[in-house]
Short mmCIF file of all heavy atoms in Angstrom, two decimals:
data_model
loop_
_atom_site.label_atom_id
_atom_site.label_comp_id
_atom_site.label_asym_id
_atom_site.label_seq_id
_atom_site.Cartn_x
_atom_site.Cartn_y
_atom_site.Cartn_z
N SER B 295 20.28 12.56 12.44
CA SER B 295 21.51 11.80 12.77
C SER B 295 21.00 10.85 13.87
O SER B 295 20.04 11.11 14.66
CB SER B 295 22.69 12.54 13.07
OG SER B 295 22.37 13.32 14.28
N ARG B 296 21.72 9.74 14.10
CA ARG B 296 21.27 8.82 15.12
C ARG B 296 22.45 8.42 16.05
O ARG B 296 23.57 8.13 15.63
CB ARG B 296 20.75 7.54 14.50
CG ARG B 296 19.61 7.86 13.66
CD ARG B 296 19.36 6.75 12.65
NE ARG B 296 18.19 6.03 13.02
CZ ARG B 296 17.50 5.19 12.11
NH1 ARG B 296 18.05 5.01 10.94
NH2 ARG B 296 16.48 4.55 12.43
N GLY B 297 22.22 8.49 17.30
CA GLY B 297 23.19 8.17 18.33
C GLY B 297 23.00 6.80 18.86
O GLY B 297 22.22 6.02 18.21
N ARG B 298 23.70 6.52 19.95
CA ARG B 298 23.60 5.14 20.58
C ARG B 298 23.64 5.41 22.08
O ARG B 298 24.62 5.94 22.55
CB ARG B 298 24.68 4.23 20.21
CG ARG B 298 24.65 3.79 18.78
CD ARG B 298 25.10 2.33 18.71
NE ARG B 298 24.44 1.61 17.55
CZ ARG B 298 24.45 0.32 17.45
NH1 ARG B 298 24.96 -0.35 18.28
NH2 ARG B 298 23.83 -0.28 16.42
N GLN B 299 22.65 5.05 22.84
CA GLN B 299 22.72 5.02 24.19
C GLN B 299 22.15 3.80 24.65
O GLN B 299 20.83 3.64 24.65
CB GLN B 299 21.98 6.28 24.87
CG GLN B 299 22.60 7.63 24.47
CD GLN B 299 21.87 8.71 25.26
OE1 GLN B 299 21.29 8.49 26.28
NE2 GLN B 299 21.87 9.91 24.55
N ALA B 300 22.87 2.84 25.11
CA ALA B 300 22.35 1.45 25.36
C ALA B 300 21.55 0.93 24.30
O ALA B 300 22.02 1.00 23.14
CB ALA B 300 21.51 1.53 26.74
N GLN B 301 20.32 0.48 24.55
CA GLN B 301 19.54 -0.11 23.46
C GLN B 301 18.71 0.95 22.68
O GLN B 301 17.90 0.69 21.83
CB GLN B 301 18.64 -1.19 23.94
CG GLN B 301 17.69 -0.88 24.88
CD GLN B 301 17.99 -1.09 26.34
OE1 GLN B 301 19.00 -0.53 26.84
NE2 GLN B 301 17.32 -1.96 27.09
N TRP B 302 18.88 2.25 23.04
CA TRP B 302 18.17 3.37 22.39
C TRP B 302 19.05 3.97 21.22
O TRP B 302 20.30 3.91 21.39
CB TRP B 302 17.76 4.33 23.38
CG TRP B 302 16.81 3.84 24.41
CD1 TRP B 302 15.46 3.75 24.24
CD2 TRP B 302 17.13 3.35 25.65
NE1 TRP B 302 14.93 3.24 25.37
CE2 TRP B 302 15.92 3.01 26.28
CE3 TRP B 302 18.26 3.26 26.39
CZ2 TRP B 302 15.70 2.46 27.57
CZ3 TRP B 302 18.19 2.65 27.71
CH2 TRP B 302 16.98 2.39 28.27
N ARG B 303 18.36 4.40 20.23
CA ARG B 303 18.98 5.01 19.13
C ARG B 303 18.41 6.37 18.91
O ARG B 303 17.60 6.62 18.14
CB ARG B 303 18.95 4.38 17.72
CG ARG B 303 19.16 2.78 17.85
CD ARG B 303 20.64 2.40 17.97
NE ARG B 303 20.66 1.03 17.57
CZ ARG B 303 20.38 0.05 18.41
NH1 ARG B 303 19.92 0.26 19.64
NH2 ARG B 303 20.46 -1.23 18.03
N PRO B 304 18.79 7.34 19.87
CA PRO B 304 18.24 8.66 19.76
C PRO B 304 18.39 9.33 18.44
O PRO B 304 19.49 9.30 17.97
CB PRO B 304 18.85 9.34 20.91
CG PRO B 304 20.09 8.63 21.27
CD PRO B 304 19.82 7.21 20.85
N CYS B 305 17.38 9.95 18.01
CA CYS B 305 17.48 10.67 16.63
C CYS B 305 17.59 12.14 16.89
O CYS B 305 16.88 12.75 17.76
CB CYS B 305 16.26 10.39 15.80
SG CYS B 305 16.03 8.62 15.44
N THR B 306 18.39 12.77 16.10
CA THR B 306 18.48 14.27 16.18
C THR B 306 18.27 14.89 14.92
O THR B 306 18.72 14.42 13.89
CB THR B 306 19.99 14.54 16.71
OG1 THR B 306 20.24 13.85 17.90
CG2 THR B 306 20.10 16.05 17.05
N LEU B 307 17.61 16.05 15.00
CA LEU B 307 17.33 16.86 13.69
C LEU B 307 18.71 17.36 13.23
O LEU B 307 19.51 17.95 13.89
CB LEU B 307 16.42 17.95 14.09
CG LEU B 307 16.08 18.92 12.90
CD1 LEU B 307 15.34 18.26 11.87
CD2 LEU B 307 15.21 20.12 13.50
N GLU B 308 18.83 17.23 11.90
CA GLU B 308 19.96 17.89 11.23
C GLU B 308 19.47 18.68 10.13
O GLU B 308 19.14 18.11 8.96
CB GLU B 308 20.93 16.82 10.75
CG GLU B 308 21.59 15.81 11.79
CD GLU B 308 22.58 16.56 12.67
OE1 GLU B 308 23.02 17.65 12.36
OE2 GLU B 308 22.83 16.01 13.78
N ALA B 309 19.31 19.94 10.38
CA ALA B 309 18.59 20.79 9.39
C ALA B 309 19.38 21.30 8.22
O ALA B 309 18.94 21.86 7.26
CB ALA B 309 17.95 21.97 10.05
N GLU B 310 20.75 21.08 8.30
CA GLU B 310 21.57 21.62 7.28
C GLU B 310 21.01 21.37 5.83
O GLU B 310 21.13 22.29 5.03
CB GLU B 310 23.06 21.11 7.44
CG GLU B 310 23.97 21.53 6.37
CD GLU B 310 24.17 23.05 6.38
OE1 GLU B 310 24.02 23.71 7.42
OE2 GLU B 310 24.53 23.61 5.22
N PRO B 311 20.70 20.18 5.53
CA PRO B 311 20.27 20.00 4.15
C PRO B 311 19.11 20.85 3.63
O PRO B 311 18.82 21.12 2.48
CB PRO B 311 19.74 18.50 4.00
CG PRO B 311 20.53 17.89 5.10
CD PRO B 311 20.55 18.96 6.17
N LEU B 312 18.33 21.40 4.59
CA LEU B 312 17.25 22.22 4.26
C LEU B 312 17.76 23.59 3.65
O LEU B 312 16.98 24.21 3.00
CB LEU B 312 16.36 22.54 5.48
CG LEU B 312 15.61 21.36 6.02
CD1 LEU B 312 14.78 21.69 7.24
CD2 LEU B 312 14.78 20.68 4.92
N ARG B 313 18.99 23.87 4.00
CA ARG B 313 19.55 25.16 3.57
C ARG B 313 19.55 25.20 2.07
O ARG B 313 18.96 26.19 1.33
CB ARG B 313 20.93 25.37 4.06
CG ARG B 313 21.53 26.65 3.62
CD ARG B 313 23.10 26.65 3.71
NE ARG B 313 23.60 26.28 5.01
CZ ARG B 313 23.82 27.23 6.00
NH1 ARG B 313 23.56 28.40 5.81
NH2 ARG B 313 24.25 26.84 7.16
N ALA B 314 20.16 24.16 1.43
CA ALA B 314 20.07 24.04 -0.04
C ALA B 314 18.76 24.09 -0.71
O ALA B 314 18.48 24.78 -1.58
CB ALA B 314 20.90 22.78 -0.57
N ALA B 315 17.89 23.35 -0.04
CA ALA B 315 16.47 23.32 -0.55
C ALA B 315 15.88 24.73 -0.50
O ALA B 315 15.15 25.15 -1.42
CB ALA B 315 15.55 22.35 0.28
N SER B 316 16.05 25.27 0.62
CA SER B 316 15.51 26.73 0.77
C SER B 316 16.06 27.74 -0.23
O SER B 316 15.48 28.54 -0.77
CB SER B 316 15.82 27.13 2.19
OG SER B 316 15.24 28.53 2.41
N GLU B 317 17.44 27.46 -0.50
CA GLU B 317 18.12 28.35 -1.37
C GLU B 317 17.57 28.15 -2.89
O GLU B 317 17.33 29.07 -3.61
CB GLU B 317 19.53 28.18 -1.37
CG GLU B 317 20.25 29.06 -0.25
CD GLU B 317 21.70 28.67 -0.03
OE1 GLU B 317 22.24 27.82 -0.77
OE2 GLU B 317 22.22 29.06 1.00
N TRP B 318 17.29 26.91 -3.14
CA TRP B 318 16.57 26.58 -4.46
C TRP B 318 15.39 27.36 -4.51
O TRP B 318 15.05 27.96 -5.56
CB TRP B 318 16.50 25.08 -4.61
CG TRP B 318 15.91 24.74 -5.93
CD1 TRP B 318 16.66 24.45 -7.09
CD2 TRP B 318 14.57 24.64 -6.32
NE1 TRP B 318 15.77 24.25 -8.11
CE2 TRP B 318 14.45 24.30 -7.61
CE3 TRP B 318 13.33 24.83 -5.55
CZ2 TRP B 318 13.19 24.17 -8.34
CZ3 TRP B 318 12.05 24.63 -6.25
CH2 TRP B 318 12.06 24.29 -7.60
N MET B 319 14.51 27.20 -3.50
CA MET B 319 13.19 27.94 -3.57
C MET B 319 13.41 29.48 -3.73
O MET B 319 12.50 30.04 -4.32
CB MET B 319 12.47 27.71 -2.24
CG MET B 319 12.00 26.25 -2.28
SD MET B 319 10.52 26.13 -1.28
CE MET B 319 10.11 24.40 -1.64
N ASN B 320 14.41 29.96 -3.09
CA ASN B 320 14.63 31.41 -3.21
C ASN B 320 14.72 31.92 -4.58
O ASN B 320 14.36 33.08 -4.91
CB ASN B 320 15.80 31.79 -2.38
CG ASN B 320 15.39 32.02 -0.89
OD1 ASN B 320 14.24 32.19 -0.47
ND2 ASN B 320 16.37 32.03 -0.05
N HIS B 321 15.17 31.09 -5.51
CA HIS B 321 15.24 31.53 -6.90
C HIS B 321 13.82 31.85 -7.46
O HIS B 321 13.70 32.62 -8.41
CB HIS B 321 15.86 30.46 -7.81
CG HIS B 321 17.23 30.19 -7.42
ND1 HIS B 321 18.16 31.14 -7.14
CD2 HIS B 321 17.98 29.01 -7.57
CE1 HIS B 321 19.37 30.57 -6.90
NE2 HIS B 321 19.26 29.29 -7.18
N TYR B 322 12.83 31.26 -6.84
CA TYR B 322 11.51 31.41 -7.37
C TYR B 322 10.69 32.39 -6.49
O TYR B 322 9.56 32.73 -6.83
CB TYR B 322 10.79 30.04 -7.40
CG TYR B 322 11.49 29.14 -8.37
CD1 TYR B 322 12.55 28.33 -7.98
CD2 TYR B 322 11.17 29.23 -9.78
CE1 TYR B 322 13.15 27.55 -8.92
CE2 TYR B 322 11.76 28.35 -10.62
CZ TYR B 322 12.79 27.53 -10.28
OH TYR B 322 13.49 26.83 -11.18
#
Side-chain angles (χ1 to χ4, degrees):
Chain B
S295 62
R296 303 160 109 162
R298 288 213 156 198
Q299 296 185 28
Q301 65 264 61
W302 294 276
R303 313 284 194 284
C305 299
T306 306
L307 179 66
E308 300 288 345
E310 176 61 27
L312 294 180
R313 183 202 303 274
S316 180
E317 276 167 10
W318 182 88
M319 287 207 172
N320 274 341
H321 294 327
Y322 296 89

